[in-house]
Amino acid sequence: MLFNNAKTLNSKKPSNLFGGFFIIIFCILSVSFPANLDAQKVADVVINGNRSLSDNEIKRILKLQEKTLFDNGQFETRLDSLSGLYQKLGYLNFTVSVQRIEFNSDSSKVEIALNINEGKKAVIQELRLVEEKPSSIGERIEKTMDLKKGADFDGFLLEDDMKRILDFLEDYGYPFAKLSLTDFIIDDKIDKPEVIVEITVDKGPRVEITFVEVRGNDVTGAEYFPRLMRLKLPSLYSEKSLESGLKLLRRTPFFSTVSKPKLIQNPFDKWGIVINVKERAMNSVNGIIGYSPGIAGESGELYGTAELTMKNLWGTCRGLHLRWISAGSQGREILVEYREPWFLRTAVELNGSFLETKQDSSYTEYDWEISSIIPVGRFTSFNAGLGLKEVVPESVGTYIFNIPKSSTFTLSTGFEINMYDRAVNPKSGGAFRSDFSLMDKRRDGPDFVFTGSRKKHVFQLGVDCQSGLAILLFPSQVLFTSLNWKSYLVSGVELPLSDLYRVGGSRSVRGYKEQQFAADKVGWSNIEYRLLLGPGARVFAFADIAWFEKSAIPDVKVGWGVGLRFESNIGLIGVDYGIGEDRTVTSGIIHFSIEAEF
């Protein structure tokens, strides 16, 4: 019980705590009850004197709503509950009396009249916070409390304050802290009771985390777990930091399950935490094949993607990603990426990539990029990068589409906030990323390609924003939305085909061909209603909307459909069926994928 040492000043009446707070003397009138009380229904309840609680609230507590069965055996107990509630609200002189209980002639109905005297709210005369071992954080503990000297007493607020103190101590290195209400003195004045509250704080030992023990990590090195959790060793125990670190671990692609960290002590009296994990397969092969049926006399097209991802090279969390995309008549892509998460043994992540894009028979583009990611806090990171892009046009690109040969040097920076609860099939959380690029573009080619506002040497500013949100509506049912935007910030400049952003297909707007649309400003949104079937499995319905603008001419495209992800012996199988504006239900575009882990 919280208040078990209550004392009374200036009064001969004892005043004790009840229901975790007080036990006081009730004045309940003696009433004679009929012998047969099995089936009386409440016909009417009259309540006088109540101000803080309404008639309906009191009837609900006493279970005296109209037409409910009257239980004489529980009636007095419920009156005690009402008294306890009032006293937790600060009415220490509260009394309730039963004025009348009347039954009708056949004892089938009962009418009850209650008289309530709430009294005045008690005031806190003194609030004492006593540390068993005094320390410098006593004042900081007191500042966490909402109850103050001279304020009205509120038992609910006192409970919240005690919980808040424990939370503060747990985040300040004291996981074994205990609180006790060692004194609760009531100056039982009739006009305005006053109380003296004394809370004793036993902080226990101050704990410093010096090591992390991991169980179940067959591949990932244990020394990398503090880095993945962004936990510096040694560091003071903090419940919030460990919860944040747990979310970060669960968000990585390395583990299917991660247990809550437990505090342990080694034989040398050093404190640490132990974490149980179950690792996922660290490598995956992903294949996507799609078919776009022909419409308006066009022939159908096949397109596909093949990916090899090694997420955890040598158990060091380093990664290698290879991707090949065939977009049918739109061209192809080849991508090579490497991720170094511990650059110079720091928390800075260094990434390098090479991308070759062949756009139909118009041009070939080569992109080299190196970027760094610097974590700031638990869920935020900043990034910066350098890039070099070369565009080599084919004869068709030069003479038909006026595409010049060009070389672009890019400086980029941005930030990301990622608060998803997991990497795959998130149930809650969101993410936002924004990147800004300054491009120094130098072009070369025949004079006829430099028409209108095109120049041989230009500076361009670009922005790329991505956001997502997962909302758990019901158990295993999630509404997932994303919003993406890419554009150049310099207007009035005519851009060649090689500089335009591309949208369409399985990675943006489903129901259309891969990279079907090109524009200098593109934005798209994906909305999915997901029914989660497992850690990586789901069935969903989607609606995709794209907005883009080329040469100041806007356009909007909408796609919708259904999809499925399910786990099998050969891996995660996915099927999406998307229908664009120019397609019927039977002529939609199919995306079929298989992701096998090993």
Side-chain angles (χ1 to χ4, degrees):
M1 308 298 261
L2 285 178
F3 307 127
N4 53 2
N5 291 317
K7 301 176 183 177
T8 302
L9 296 181
N10 302 328
S11 176
K12 295 182 180 180
K13 297 184 298 180
S15 181
N16 300 316
L17 293 173
F18 161 76
F21 281 83
F22 319 92
I23 297 176
I24 68 171
I25 297 176
F26 278 87
C27 297
I28 302 176
L29 298 179
S30 299
V31 180
S32 299
F33 297 96
N36 181 14
L37 300 179
D38 292 334
Q40 291 109 7
K41 289 184 178 180
V42 176
D44 187 30
V45 178
V46 178
I47 304 173
N48 299 311
N50 54 307
R51 300 184 309 275
S52 297
L53 297 181
S54 67
D55 288 1
N56 288 335
E57 288 174 317
I58 293 174
K59 290 177 183 178
R60 179 180 54 80
I61 294 168
L62 299 179
K63 299 190 184 302
L64 294 179
Q65 295 96 332
E66 189 177 353
K67 296 184 179 180
T68 58
L69 294 178
F70 177 68
D71 188 340
N72 179 41
Q74 293 293 320
F75 184 50
E76 187 170 340
T77 301
R78 291 167 184 163
L79 286 173
D80 290 346
S81 298
L82 178 65
S83 176
L85 175 60
Y86 261 101
Q87 294 182 52
K88 286 185 78 171
L89 293 172
Y91 297 96
L92 306 187
N93 287 334
F94 170 84
T95 60
V96 56
S97 60
V98 180
Q99 289 185 318
R100 175 171 54 87
I101 296 182
E102 292 182 357
F103 298 89
N104 65 352
S105 58
D106 61 358
S107 297
S108 63
K109 294 182 180 180
V110 60
E111 295 182 358
I112 302 171
L114 300 176
N115 186 49
I116 287 177
N117 182 11
E118 294 181 350
K120 292 186 177 181
K121 262 197 169 187
V123 175
I124 299 176
Q125 184 188 94
E126 188 176 353
L127 185 61
R128 303 171 186 163
L129 200 63
V130 180
E131 294 184 75
E132 289 193 353
K133 295 181 180 179
S135 65
S136 59
I137 66 170
E139 291 184 3
R140 297 185 62 182
I141 295 175
E142 191 170 342
K143 288 180 180 179
T144 65
M145 301 184 67
D146 289 335
L147 279 180
K148 304 295 181 184
K149 179 180 178 181
D152 288 343
F153 174 75
D154 188 320
F156 293 102
L157 198 56
L158 179 58
E159 287 182 345
D160 291 341
D161 279 346
M162 295 179 75
K163 183 180 183 302
R164 199 175 294 114
I165 292 173
L166 286 176
D167 291 341
F168 169 79
L169 291 172
E170 285 180 347
D171 288 327
Y172 211 75
Y174 297 99
F176 303 107
K178 297 178 181 179
L179 300 182
S180 56
L181 192 64
T182 49
D183 227 341
F184 191 87
I185 304 172
I186 302 173
D187 189 353
D188 199 6
K189 298 177 181 178
I190 299 301
D191 55 341
K192 191 115 175 142
E194 295 182 346
V195 295
I196 299 174
V197 181
E198 182 178 283
I199 301 172
T200 298
V201 181
D202 178 8
K203 298 189 296 294
R206 198 173 197 188
V207 173
E208 187 178 61
I209 303 298
T210 59
F211 65 91
V212 176
E213 181 180 316
V214 186
R215 299 169 186 172
N217 55 319
D218 297 328
V219 177
T220 311
E223 65 272 22
Y224 298 109
F225 277 78
R227 299 183 189 180
L228 292 172
M229 299 175 68
R230 298 185 187 176
L231 178 66
K232 293 182 180 180
L233 296 180
S235 65
L236 285 178
Y237 179 94
S238 170
E239 188 74 17
K240 287 182 179 178
S241 295
L242 291 180
E243 288 179 0
S244 299
L246 180 64
K247 288 182 179 179
L248 291 172
L249 279 181
R250 288 175 174 168
R251 213 173 61 203
T252 67
F254 310 135
F255 314 107
S256 58
T257 59
V258 181
S259 71
K260 187 175 181 179
K262 294 182 180 180
L263 197 61
I264 60 172
Q265 193 173 25
N266 67 13
F268 305 101
D269 294 332
K270 298 291 186 181
W271 291 99
I273 57 173
V274 58
I275 303 173
N276 292 286
V277 300
K278 183 178 179 181
E279 291 183 321
R280 301 173 62 95
M282 297 302 174
N283 306 308
S284 65
V285 176
N286 185 20
I288 301 175
I289 186 169
Y291 178 68
S292 172
I295 56 175
E298 295 180 354
S299 59
E301 283 188 342
L302 282 172
Y303 61 88
T305 300
E307 292 181 280
L308 171 63
T309 304
M310 289 175 277
K311 311 169 194 174
N312 195 353
L313 292 171
W314 312 293
T316 62
C317 304
R318 295 175 172 88
L320 179 65
H321 180 215
L322 308 175
R323 186 181 75 203
W324 172 85
I325 296 178
S326 172
S329 61
Q330 301 296 321
R332 61 167 173 78
E333 283 185 5
I334 297 176
L335 173 69
V336 180
E337 290 180 309
Y338 175 75
R339 182 172 64 91
E340 171 56 59
W342 325 118
F343 181 62
L344 298 179
R345 300 182 65 84
T346 67
V348 176
E349 180 178 315
L350 195 66
N351 300 316
S353 67
F354 169 74
L355 173 65
E356 179 190 83
T357 303
K358 184 172 180 60
Q359 190 64 40
D360 48 56
S361 58
S362 303
Y363 65 90
T364 302
E365 180 180 303
Y366 305 94
D367 289 273
W368 293 268
E369 184 179 2
I370 184 170
S371 63
S372 62
I373 300 175
I374 304 171
V376 180
R378 297 282 173 179
F379 306 105
T380 306
S381 61
F382 286 95
N383 63 77
L386 301 173
L388 178 63
K389 180 173 77 172
E390 291 187 354
V391 176
V392 181
E394 305 287 345
S395 58
V396 172
T398 300
Y399 292 99
I400 302 298
F401 298 107
N402 292 339
I403 299 175
K405 182 179 179 180
S406 65
S407 178
T408 304
F409 179 74
T410 302
L411 290 173
S412 63
T413 185
F415 69 94
E416 180 180 13
I417 302 171
N418 190 333
M419 300 189 69
Y420 283 128
D421 62 337
R422 63 188 69 187
V424 181
N425 265 1
K427 291 185 176 181
S428 62
F432 177 80
R433 175 168 180 159
S434 182
D435 294 294
F436 301 90
S437 302
L438 173 63
M439 292 162 276
D440 180 3
K441 188 179 295 289
R442 298 175 185 271
R443 296 166 176 154
D444 187 19
D447 291 339
F448 66 81
V449 303
F450 297 101
T451 59
S453 59
R454 290 189 185 179
K455 298 178 181 179
K456 291 189 175 183
H457 185 200
V458 296
F459 287 96
Q460 291 176 323
L461 291 174
V463 61
D464 183 351
C465 296
Q466 305 167 38
S467 63
L469 182 65
I471 304 173
L472 184 64
L473 301 177
F474 305 101
S476 300
Q477 296 185 48
V478 174
L479 179 65
F480 183 84
T481 64
S482 68
L483 184 63
N484 307 270
W485 176 262
K486 294 182 180 182
S487 71
Y488 292 104
L489 300 181
V490 179
S491 60
V493 178
E494 184 183 356
L495 300 174
L497 183 64
S498 58
D499 287 357
L500 300 180
Y501 298 111
R502 293 193 171 267
V503 67
S506 60
R507 298 176 183 272
S508 54
V509 185
R510 289 158 287 192
Y512 298 90
K513 295 179 180 180
E514 297 295 320
Q515 303 179 356
Q516 183 172 340
F517 310 106
D520 48 67
K521 295 179 181 179
V522 298
W524 70 92
S525 177
N526 310 110
I527 303 173
E528 294 185 4
Y529 192 93
R530 298 175 173 179
L531 176 61
L532 306 185
L533 306 176
R538 65 180 181 269
V539 60
F540 58 94
F542 66 83
D544 300 336
I545 304 173
W547 178 91
F548 46 91
E549 182 179 288
K550 182 180 179 182
S551 302
I553 301 175
D555 199 358
V556 176
K557 296 295 180 181
V558 177
W560 59 276
V562 294
L564 174 66
R565 303 288 184 273
F566 62 94
E567 297 166 333
S568 68
N569 292 333
I570 61 174
L572 186 65
I573 297 178
V575 180
D576 290 3
Y577 188 77
I579 302 169
E581 288 183 349
D582 299 327
R583 297 181 179 274
T584 64
V585 174
T586 58
S587 63
I589 295 180
I590 302 173
H591 311 275
F592 180 79
S593 64
I594 299 177
E595 182 178 355
E597 295 185 330
F598 61 96

